[in-house]
Amino acid sequence: MAVPLRSDHVPDTACSVSGTAVTIYCTAGDRHHSEARVDRLGTIPLHLTEAAKSFEAAPSGIPLGLIELGGWRVRQLDPVPTDLAGHAAYLVRAHYNFAIEPEVPAPAWAEIKFEFPIPGVTVLDAIPRAITRPIPATTYDLNAHLDFIPGTGAIPLPALEPRIDCTGIGTDSIQWTHTGGVPTGAHTACFVLLTPPDMVEVPVVASGSYHVSIDPALKMRPTGRKDAFVLPLPTVPKPAIAEPTAPETLQDNGSKAVPTNGSDTRVFVSYAHESPEHKAAVATLCDLLRTEGITVHYDRQNLDVRRNWDSWINTQIMRADYVLTVASPSYLAAGNGTLPPGKNLGVLFEYRRLADLLHRQPDQWTPKVLPVVLPGRSPDEIPLSFLPGIADYYQVDPLTTAGAKSLLRVLRSTRTQ
């Protein structure tokens, strides 16, 4: 039996627009659906770099193009099969675009990988799986076990050219590899994502690899730079509650998402999850920066949950133009080595990574790491590794555009990389 996923007829629909994410609530009989559309997620820059250097440590070289990520759609599958009770399931329609520079030949092979570095997240199934011959445009259904089956359903895939291979089904990552020549332009894939219940978003690390012919005498190698983002997850409204006429998408654990204006300045906000008041103040700061046109990334999940820190947080730090470190007692304790065992693991990891970068590359990272002091906090809560006595810090008080004037002046200045 196929799971009904008709998308061509959506009665009783209400739509919420929130930044680059759109959530659609709809009812059809006694079945409730919710879908999120995300226009912009991230990019994977493609370069030729010196073979002996790390691209992440020295992000320079000959640009070859981008892998652009956007136009994703996420639909909650409700109800889930009985054998998956206690989980939530989502159908994700992903788009990635190989935007290669005009003078660069198409890669002989390329691959794209999405990792979900949080416990309990699994890719149940994915398409396309193994394409060894040209396939015309095809539609798919999901069966009772949430496996993709060709049919007359509402899950379309465009025509596909060989060769495409999919790996990672049943794990916390999914990868598609294109060989035999890679057509530039947009590509589409779909997968079913299983998560713990009640998650509002899932962290994603995107990476890409490719091959182009290079003169060995150049001593260069093709490199793709990772990106990290969070994918908003829609929720199905409770049938007993009347549908709102203009619902709002809630993110940031209750902080309303705020549209951006497409700024090129990207910041990562590093902070300790401590009091509810402190977390609310950080969320307000992030909303404020977004309204001022800054692209803001920060971890909205509980960082005490174990996950692949090296993959997600390192990528966020390395891709940021600036890292804002928010002063607080727990952040200071991370710097002093006095945090209780097992507490505030996320901020401890972030502090150690930033302290290491400041030690190894002070000229590059001192202008990028910006200590921030929010209302009610003190400069004395800035760790010494962030040089509060000899370098600038930024007091944002009140949490308004006027209060953030000095910080915004720096964030709007010339990009540091």
Side-chain angles (χ1 to χ4, degrees):
M1 179 183 69
V3 177
L5 289 170
R6 300 303 304 174
S7 59
D8 51 355
H9 176 62
V10 185
D12 302 327
T13 300
C15 182
S16 167
V17 179
S18 183
T20 58
V22 178
T23 298
I24 296 174
Y25 304 123
C26 59
T27 59
D30 60 355
R31 177 172 289 277
H32 297 258
H33 298 299
S34 181
E35 181 177 282
R37 297 200 300 263
V38 188
D39 293 331
R40 291 179 287 117
L41 284 171
T43 60
I44 303 171
L46 306 176
H47 284 72
L48 288 179
T49 59
E50 294 182 41
K53 288 187 177 180
S54 163
F55 184 43
E56 291 297 339
S60 61
I62 302 172
L64 299 182
L66 293 170
I67 303 176
E68 300 169 328
L69 308 173
W72 285 31
R73 303 179 73 167
V74 185
R75 171 172 288 187
Q76 185 172 10
L77 304 173
D78 183 70
V80 298
T82 55
D83 59 331
L84 298 176
H87 299 82
Y90 300 89
L91 171 63
V92 182
R93 182 175 176 85
H95 300 278
Y96 53 95
N97 181 48
F98 291 112
I100 307 300
E101 295 290 341
E103 67 276 10
V104 176
W109 64 263
E111 61 189 21
I112 183 79
K113 183 177 183 179
F114 304 111
E115 302 171 74
F116 308 96
I118 196 165
V121 176
T122 303
V123 178
L124 290 181
D125 199 11
I127 50 175
R129 292 193 193 96
I131 306 300
T132 58
R133 57 182 177 83
I135 301 293
T138 307
T139 58
Y140 291 81
D141 286 312
L142 287 173
N143 66 17
H145 301 289
L146 300 186
D147 299 320
F148 290 99
I149 55 174
T152 58
I155 308 172
L157 275 189
L160 299 169
E161 293 292 329
R163 174 170 182 131
I164 305 173
D165 293 286
C166 177
T167 56
I169 293 173
T171 72
D172 61 358
S173 65
I174 191 71
Q175 175 176 305
W176 284 274
T177 302
H178 298 253
T179 55
V182 181
T184 58
H187 297 261
T188 301
C190 297
F191 55 94
V192 175
L193 196 66
L194 185 70
T195 75
D198 302 323
M199 289 188 67
V200 298
E201 59 192 17
V202 63
V204 184
V205 177
S207 57
S209 304
Y210 66 104
H211 174 76
V212 292
S213 298
I214 306 169
D215 184 346
L218 294 176
K219 297 183 179 179
M220 305 283 282
R221 62 186 177 93
T223 312
R225 195 176 189 198
K226 292 181 179 181
D227 203 352
F229 50 88
V230 292
L231 184 65
L233 299 176
T235 56
V236 175
K238 301 298 183 182
I241 301 176
E243 294 287 344
T245 57
E248 295 175 328
T249 300
L250 292 182
Q251 298 179 1
D252 304 351
N253 288 336
S255 171
K256 187 169 59 178
V258 178
T260 70
N261 68 1
S263 166
D264 285 336
T265 300
R266 172 172 174 165
V267 305
F268 177 63
V269 179
S270 173
Y271 72 107
H273 285 240
E274 38 191 291
S275 70
E277 293 78 13
H278 183 66
K279 289 188 285 187
V282 172
T284 300
L285 171 68
C286 293
D287 288 351
L288 169 64
L289 296 179
R290 289 189 182 111
T291 62
E292 296 297 323
I294 308 300
T295 300
V296 181
H297 294 260
Y298 74 111
D299 196 307
R300 289 156 280 211
Q301 304 290 338
N302 188 339
L303 288 177
D304 287 336
V305 177
R306 176 178 173 80
R307 72 178 185 214
N308 189 344
W309 307 116
D310 182 67
S311 183
W312 195 84
I313 294 178
N314 276 352
T315 302
Q316 288 285 9
I317 290 173
M318 300 304 293
R319 286 299 301 269
D321 297 303
Y322 299 97
V323 178
L324 310 187
T325 59
V326 183
S328 69
S330 291
Y331 214 130
L332 179 64
N336 292 341
T338 56
L339 279 174
K343 298 296 184 180
N344 296 105
L345 298 179
V347 76
L348 179 60
F349 182 92
E350 293 168 15
Y351 165 77
R352 288 173 174 172
R353 185 70 176 108
L354 291 168
D356 178 65
L357 290 168
L358 286 165
H359 174 72
R360 292 191 293 115
Q361 299 171 316
D363 292 341
Q364 178 183 350
W365 283 92
T366 299
K368 292 179 59 169
V369 177
L370 309 181
V372 172
V373 181
L374 298 182
R377 302 264 60 95
S378 166
D380 293 336
E381 295 168 344
I382 301 172
L384 291 178
S385 296
F386 299 156
L387 309 177
I390 59 175
D392 291 334
Y393 59 84
Y394 300 87
Q395 288 194 280
V396 180
D397 190 0
L399 277 166
T400 64
T401 299
K405 183 178 179 179
S406 62
L407 176 62
L408 288 169
R409 185 183 301 114
V410 175
L411 299 183
R412 289 168 174 161
S413 65
T414 304
R415 288 167 61 92
T416 57
Q417 64 181 47

